[in-house]
């Protein structure tokens, strides 16, 4: 994956960083995630728009590792390619693998169906 | 453009116009927000309203948000065709067109129109006699979550119990984690009880407010420990013969049912394998991980704005892990120690 920039996939995904832990919730799938240390730092920086190459340098990890982490986030639907301006970002010194724990235990709660936005083409069709 | 949801609202308003006078009206205040529930159909009123018995009546001059609820079987109406076409078996779809939010469950639909004060909502069911237990134990939960959340009073999927002088423990976790049974054990041991499944958060003073006066009793818990039945409470009728017993704690336990308690700790219970109940400090992140996903997913959140209030709880009070042991007497004692620790 070449140098890329991302943003959080709102409104389907909400997240917060607290006490060194990133808590990420996909409201469409019911899956939620947590990551600590290096993963929490990388998450915060990536959704602020940090280019993957610069983030790799800042974290002192090889770029392919950061790129694979970003690709995983993209595959889980947690981020999307960035369309807006980059926000200020920085990373605190942190250690550990770039991984997120995924939890699926709430998926059966509501058998969630994605939110369908109403368009002029009819209903229910997702807005493109 | 008139959206499909706006058209659906028009259909529901037309139905409402033909219903005449409501069978029952209940006006109450929750965390300072006024709510009025107008129910058309006696059986539906019996199903929905007892759970609000402990809510204080409306005070002041605030115009309440209004929820109109009716039962097609009793009123001779039918679910609008626009809803029937959107039922997805095995799913609870949500549809949003900006200000209108539609939630569809089995035989139930709720339409909340936000952005206009006071908020107006519709809750319609096919047949009140077949309403599942959770609509009796925590009635109108998705509708009220939307109405109250819009007024800055987020619903929280958590139990709360404590004392007026020491504050309360917010017990967070998914269904089956033990929060309801734990809250009930606290009540029966003399603690004050705010709720066993949902409470309303007042972010200004970080307090948990009561909404439902009910307690849910799972058959497995009752089989294991018959003393869990709050003997003085009224058991709500369950025509649908679903798998949980709902007890209305009001007015039998009114002396132990405050309108609110300040939150002193965020506790994540889980059922352990040993006999003893143990607790330990946890990070704020673990507390948020127990509180936020369960709340936002169960309540079908569609807004990023609903996470920050939950984060503020996790940042403001200490978090704890609670491993529930099989020895019932140890649970409340351990929680008492935990509350002391949190207050120290």
């Amino acid at each position: 994956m070449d140098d890329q920039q991302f943003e959080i996939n709102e409104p389907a995904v909400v997240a917060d960083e607290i006490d060194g832990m990133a808590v990420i919730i996909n409201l469409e799938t019911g899956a939620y995630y947590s990551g600590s240390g290096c993963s929490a730092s990388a998450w915060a920086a990536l959704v602020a728009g940090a280019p993957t190459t610069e983030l790799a340098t800042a974290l002192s990890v090889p770029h392919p590792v950061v790129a694979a982490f970003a690709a995983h986030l993209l595959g889980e639907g947690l981020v999307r390619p960035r369309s807006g301006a980059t926000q200020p970002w920085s990373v605190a010194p942190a250690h550990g693998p770039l991984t997120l724990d995924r939890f699926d235990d709430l998926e059966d709660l509501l058998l969630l169906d994605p939110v369908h936005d109403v368009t002029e083409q009819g209903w229910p069709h997702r807005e493109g | 453009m008139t959206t499909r949801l706006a058209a659906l609202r028009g259909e529901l308003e037309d139905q409402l116009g033909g219903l005449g006078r409501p069978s029952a009206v209940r006006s109450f205040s929750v965390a300072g927000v006024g709510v009025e529930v107008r129910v058309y159909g006696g059986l539906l009123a019996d199903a929905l309203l007892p759970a609000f018995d402990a809510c204080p009546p409306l005070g002041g001059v605030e115009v309440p948000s209004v929820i109109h609820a009716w039962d097609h079987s009793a009123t001779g109406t039918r679910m609008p065709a626009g809803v029937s076409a959107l039922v997805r078996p095995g799913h609870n779809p949500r549809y949003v067109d900006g200000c209108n939010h539609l939630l569809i469950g089995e035989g139930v639909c709720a339409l909340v129109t936000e952005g206009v004060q006071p908020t107006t909502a519709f809750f319609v069911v096919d047949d009140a006699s077949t309403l599942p237990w959770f609509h009796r134990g925590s009635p109108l939960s998705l509708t009220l979550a939307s109405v109250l959340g819009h007024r800055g009073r987020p619903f929280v999927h958590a139990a709360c119990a404590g004392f007026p002088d020491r504050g309360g423990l917010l017990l967070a976790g998914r269904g089956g984690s033990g929060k309801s049974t734990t809250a009930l054990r606290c009540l029966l041991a003399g603690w004050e009880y705010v709720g066993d499944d949902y409470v309303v958060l007042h972010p200004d003073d970080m307090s948990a407010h009561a909404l439902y006066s009910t307690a849910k009793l799972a058959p497995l818990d009752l089989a294991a420990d018959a003393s869990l039945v709050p003997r003085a409470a009224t058991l709500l009728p369950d025509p649908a013969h679903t798998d949980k017993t709902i007890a209305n704690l009001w007015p039998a336990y009114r002396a132990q049912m405050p309108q609110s308690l300040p939150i002193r700790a965020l506790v994540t219970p889980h059922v352990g394998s040993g006999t003893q109940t143990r607790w330990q400090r946890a990070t704020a992140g673990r507390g948020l991980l127990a509180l936020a996903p369960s709340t936002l997913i169960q309540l079908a959140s569609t807004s990023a704005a609903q996470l920050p209030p939950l984060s503020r709880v996790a940042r403001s009070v200490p978090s704890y892990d609670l491993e529930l042991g099989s020895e019932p007497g140890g649970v409340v004692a351990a929680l008492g120690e935990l509350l002391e620790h949190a207050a120290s």
Side-chain angles (χ1 to χ4, degrees), chain B residues 100-160:
Chain B
N100 289 309
H101 295 237
L102 175 69
L103 304 118
I104 301 177
E106 188 176 348
V108 173
C109 95
L111 179 71
V112 181
T113 301
E114 297 179 339
V116 179
Q117 294 299 337
T119 303
T120 303
F122 301 90
F123 178 84
V124 294
V125 307
D126 278 334
D127 186 348
S129 69
T130 60
L131 270 186
W133 63 268
F134 50 85
H135 284 301
R136 299 167 187 277
S138 308
L140 306 172
S141 57
L142 295 177
T143 314
L144 281 165
S146 185
V147 168
L148 294 171
H150 188 63
R151 303 292 303 277
R153 302 290 186 273
F155 242 54
V156 181
H157 183 218
C160 183

Side-chain angles (χ1 to χ4, degrees), chain B residues 58 71 81-82 127 132 158 169 183-184 198 219 226 242 250 267-269 275 329 343:
Chain B
L58 274 180
D71 171 357
D127 186 348
L169 301 176
L184 190 54
Y198 297 105
T242 46
W250 188 272
V267 182
T268 305
T275 56

Side-chain angles (χ1 to χ4, degrees), chain A residues 73-92:
Chain A
L73 300 179
L74 196 60
E76 294 287 317
L78 303 180
V79 299
R80 63 191 174 211
R82 190 164 194 84
S83 58
T86 302
Q87 299 169 353
W89 63 275
S90 63
V91 290

Side-chain angles (χ1 to χ4, degrees), chain A residues 10-11 13-19 21-23 25-28 30-34 103 105-106 108-120 122-124, chain B residues 1 3-5 8 82 86 88 90-97 102 174 283-286 288-289 292-294 296-304 307 311 314-315:
Chain A
E10 290 180 328
V13 177
V14 296
D16 201 359
E17 294 88 50
I18 181 169
D19 211 13
M21 177 187 282
V23 175
I25 307 165
N26 189 328
L27 299 171
E28 287 198 350
Y32 61 104
Y33 309 78
S34 71
F103 303 90
D105 59 317
L106 297 177
D108 61 339
L109 268 184
L110 274 184
L111 299 170
L112 285 176
D113 196 53
V115 174
H116 302 278
D117 299 319
V118 178
T119 72
E120 293 188 21
W123 183 51
Chain B
M1 187 184 88
T3 69
R4 294 286 296 272
L5 289 192
L8 174 62
L86 293 166
R88 293 166 60 92
H91 291 263
N92 293 325
R94 300 167 292 164
Y95 300 91
V96 179
D97 74 0
L102 175 69
R174 63 158 296 166
T283 64
R286 275 192 61 84
L288 183 63
L289 198 62
S294 174
L296 298 184
I297 292 170
Q298 182 138 13
L299 295 173
S301 170
T302 57
S303 167
L307 180 59
S311 297
R315 287 190 170 93

